[in-house]
Amino acid sequence: MTRTFRRVVTGHNAAGRAIFASDAQVPSLPLAGLPGTEICDLWGSDTTFNYPDNGAKPAYEAFFPPVGGCRFLVFTVPPDSLGGAQAADASPDALKAANPSLAQTMQADAPGMHRSETIDMLYVISGACVLELDDGVRLDLKAGDTAIQSGTMHAWRNPHDEPCRVIAAIVGASLR
């Protein structure tokens, strides 16, 4: 089920006064190659913000931000029975074609397992899911829970009957 989120953005006019630069509905979009997975790209930048600005959304292409960059998004983890990285109809090739920067973080021999050079601050807004680490340890998360994912190898699973929606603020980091 595709969701739409309202995004209100402030900025500055020519005199430097605060303005509402935009008030828009931003739709979630399916993530090619991972059936049932949706992402709503709300905001981001590849560089440090400088103010005053006009409130326009910065341009960026890669899924994950570089050091000094950030992303703000909502993602949906579908029930395992309906799709996602472990589903029989998951397509690493389709994901690679549609989103190469996300695909390159995926571990080839463990569907859905990935690592990014980021710190991810996460809040589960609805449903429940499982955060799995590369050693197989799993932790259940439900609506109202938060997680800080610190550049570790991880995967999202959803053994439940309903989709799980998560808000993520992602900041570029350096992995050593």
Side-chain angles (χ1 to χ4, degrees):
M1 175 174 69
T2 300
R3 292 268 325 245
T4 301
F5 296 88
R6 183 180 182 196
R7 179 188 64 208
V8 174
V9 180
T10 64
H12 303 87
N13 65 16
R17 305 263 320 168
I19 61 168
F20 287 108
S22 67
D23 185 348
Q25 295 294 317
V26 181
S28 292
L29 299 172
L31 185 58
L34 299 177
T37 302
E38 294 179 356
I39 297 192
C40 183
D41 175 14
L42 292 166
W43 197 258
S45 176
D46 283 346
T47 61
T48 302
F49 290 98
N50 292 296
Y51 300 109
D53 75 346
N54 66 1
K57 185 177 180 193
Y60 52 88
E61 293 183 23
F63 185 81
F64 292 109
V67 173
C70 65
R71 302 289 186 267
F72 183 50
L73 53 94
V74 178
F75 65 90
T76 301
V77 182
D80 293 342
S81 63
L82 298 179
Q86 297 185 99
D89 55 349
S91 171
D93 291 336
L95 177 62
K96 187 175 184 179
N99 199 320
S101 65
L102 176 58
Q104 75 182 8
T105 67
M106 296 288 179
Q107 189 172 340
D109 61 344
M113 194 63 66
H114 64 286
R115 175 189 322 231
S116 57
E117 294 183 17
T118 60
I119 181 162
D120 308 348
M121 295 154 280
L122 307 149
Y123 178 78
V124 180
I125 56 176
S126 66
C129 61
V130 174
L131 178 56
E132 179 181 354
L133 301 181
D134 59 351
D135 62 0
V137 173
R138 294 173 171 225
L139 188 66
D140 294 319
L141 297 171
K142 64 182 182 329
D145 289 345
T146 63
I148 308 300
Q149 196 293 112
S150 303
T152 59
M153 188 67 76
H154 67 286
W156 295 98
R157 312 291 188 209
N158 184 347
H160 308 288
D161 294 329
E162 68 179 272
C164 179
R165 288 192 177 79
V166 180
I167 293 176
I170 301 172
V171 177
S174 296
L175 293 180
R176 296 181 198 194

